[in-house]
Amino acid sequence: MEQVMLLGFLSICALEDLLKKQMHLFYIIGFALLGIGIQIYEGRLELEKILLASLLGVVVCILGKFSDERVGIGDGAMLITTGIYLGFWENTLVFWLASMGAALVGMLLYIIFRKPSYYRIPFAPFLLGAYLLVLMIGEGGIV
């Protein structure tokens, strides 16, 4: 159930990021609260684990603030939410895979299509793709 919800969340954010190059905080906060609610309902809410899992997103938000939003604060907020659902290590893996995908596409845009180095590409679709890859690898792979 949580996988389907996280897939829906990432799909909404990816679509918004592609079309508008921004995401509504309403969705992000809603899915974060829903994830915490599920953990409370299932009796597995551990505040320390949620804080640790969300740490990556907090760091990305801080980077966004100090980089004139070259790294989007919305991306950091998304990582806070995915951390609630995935935990620290799986969230870190999804972030790393998404970053590698975005770096590859960024290099292709720069080299082949002559886009300037400051050209912005939406990151949420890469998070969605990375999460799908992690789901496909599944229990028999690295997760």
Side-chain angles (χ1 to χ4, degrees):
M1 177 67 153
E2 287 180 56
Q3 292 175 338
V4 173
M5 290 173 47
L6 188 54
L7 199 56
F9 165 70
L10 289 171
S11 296
I12 290 169
C13 289
L15 188 60
E16 272 197 319
D17 204 8
L18 278 169
L19 298 176
K20 301 177 186 175
K21 298 219 185 216
Q22 65 180 16
M23 291 165 282
H24 285 91
L25 210 50
F26 174 78
Y27 298 124
I28 296 171
I29 292 171
F31 274 95
L33 292 174
L34 191 58
I36 292 171
I38 288 170
Q39 291 187 20
I40 290 171
Y41 177 75
E42 292 180 353
R44 56 186 174 90
L45 178 70
E46 295 180 42
L47 189 58
E48 306 85 31
K49 285 187 178 180
I50 286 180
L51 292 175
L52 179 63
S54 301
L55 184 62
L56 179 62
V58 171
V59 170
V60 171
C61 284
I62 292 169
L63 286 173
K65 187 69 173 164
F66 289 109
S67 70
D68 293 327
E69 286 202 46
R70 284 189 172 245
V71 177
I73 294 174
D75 299 325
M78 281 182 55
L79 286 166
I80 290 170
T81 301
T82 56
I84 292 168
Y85 286 86
L86 299 174
F88 179 77
W89 291 112
E90 196 170 358
N91 198 35
T92 302
L93 175 63
V94 168
F95 176 66
W96 183 79
L97 290 169
S99 297
M100 293 300 105
L104 180 63
V105 168
M107 286 189 299
L108 290 173
L109 288 172
Y110 180 76
I111 294 168
I112 296 174
F113 297 103
R114 306 280 189 217
K115 296 289 182 185
S117 60
Y118 55 84
Y119 183 77
R120 292 184 175 205
I121 56 175
F123 190 63
F126 293 100
L127 283 173
L128 174 61
Y131 181 61
L132 285 170
L133 182 62
V134 167
L135 283 178
M136 286 189 291
I137 292 169
E139 293 179 22
I142 53 180
V143 177

